[in-house]
Amino acid sequence: MRILVVEDDAAVADAMRRGLSTEGYAVDRVESAERAYAALANEHFDLAIVDLGLPGDDGFALLRRVRRGGATLPLLVVTARDALTDRVNALDLGADDYLVKPFALPELAARCRALIRRVAAATTAQLAIGRLQLDLGGRRACVAGTALELTQREWSVLECLALHAGRVVSKERLMQAITSWDEDITANAIEVHMSRLRAKLGDAASIRTVRGLGYCLLEERAA
């Protein structure tokens, strides 16, 4: 899962990045609403954490613009403003949750998990592709009832493929699912993850390589 932090305070943003990274999230940070607009328009994120006191457009303007654009991305406001009017305004503009600074990192992580689970439950918390079963909320995968031992990145790759089962997912999209901007990863790393996933899936499901396009998860391995 990938999170965008929209926060102009570098120290706060760094603390959030470090805390959420230990939970297995890929975390990127921008310091203004204007940069957030560009990031959200061009890349995929599973959740955005938004400060209200931003330079230029403030957090309220960001919430308004994101929701007017029809995006269903979960939005968590994290701010020093604790007035009731600010809470009400943010929630009315489309925020899904509101957390006041200072906050404990475990609470921030728990709220992120809750929002992401909520979105997964609104679509489907369980996926089945052949004999492969995924529990999106619990971040678990199993084959015929036997749990697969997956690294965080292997899970993220498999989850992305499963959510688009039967369709081709590009290497670029998979790279976005497992890395933040300041991490250095090559397309070859995706190939390594694919090799390991294929070995762990066995004949329960098939990851096909579509040359020049990407990868596709199918129900069973070709004979």
Side-chain angles (χ1 to χ4, degrees):
M1 291 291 179
R2 194 174 181 203
I3 295 176
L4 179 66
V5 173
V6 189
E7 169 65 66
D8 63 329
D9 187 315
V12 173
D14 184 61
M16 286 194 282
R17 174 182 287 174
R18 286 186 284 105
L20 293 173
S21 294
T22 63
E23 296 286 327
Y25 298 109
V27 184
D28 292 306
R29 177 242 178 172
V30 292
E31 68 276 11
S32 69
E34 289 75 15
R35 292 197 174 185
Y37 301 146
L40 293 172
N42 293 294
E43 302 192 46
H44 173 83
F45 293 92
D46 298 286
L47 180 141
I49 298 174
V50 180
D51 183 23
L52 293 181
L54 299 170
D57 282 0
D58 62 11
F60 293 120
L62 190 155
L63 295 173
R64 184 182 298 108
R65 179 163 169 173
V66 170
R67 289 302 184 230
R68 282 182 177 175
T72 57
L73 173 77
L75 299 171
L76 168 60
V77 169
V78 177
T79 179
R81 301 183 185 182
D82 61 356
L84 176 61
T85 53
D86 288 328
R87 292 173 184 265
V88 171
N89 193 18
L91 294 170
D92 283 345
L93 287 173
D96 297 284
D97 198 0
Y98 195 105
L99 180 62
V100 176
K101 301 174 184 176
F103 54 86
L105 286 172
E107 181 179 5
L108 174 68
R111 287 177 184 251
C112 289
R113 289 194 298 270
L115 289 176
I116 291 172
R117 280 199 307 269
R118 189 183 306 169
V119 172
T123 52
T124 176
Q126 305 286 333
L127 288 177
I129 299 94
R131 293 188 292 117
L132 171 66
Q133 297 177 317
L134 281 82
D135 176 359
L136 300 183
R139 296 172 64 85
R140 293 185 295 269
C142 62
V143 172
T146 301
L148 298 180
E149 295 295 329
L150 301 174
T151 66
Q152 291 177 350
R153 284 189 168 178
E154 287 170 354
W155 164 261
S156 295
V157 169
L158 182 59
E159 178 187 44
C160 188
L161 289 171
L163 288 170
H164 299 85
R167 292 174 286 168
V168 177
V169 181
S170 69
K171 281 187 178 180
E172 291 74 17
R173 174 66 184 84
L174 291 169
M175 290 170 68
Q176 287 183 14
I178 66 174
T179 61
S180 56
W181 294 326
D182 59 350
E183 292 180 284
D184 186 19
I185 186 172
T186 66
N188 289 337
I190 295 296
E191 295 176 5
V192 172
H193 290 310
M194 290 300 171
S195 177
R196 291 173 178 170
L197 282 173
R198 285 174 173 135
K200 292 179 179 182
L201 291 175
D203 61 358
S206 173
I207 300 176
R208 301 270 184 89
T209 299
V210 183
R211 189 174 298 277
L213 295 177
Y215 301 91
C216 180
L217 181 66
L218 299 173
E219 289 192 0
E220 57 187 352
R221 189 182 301 277

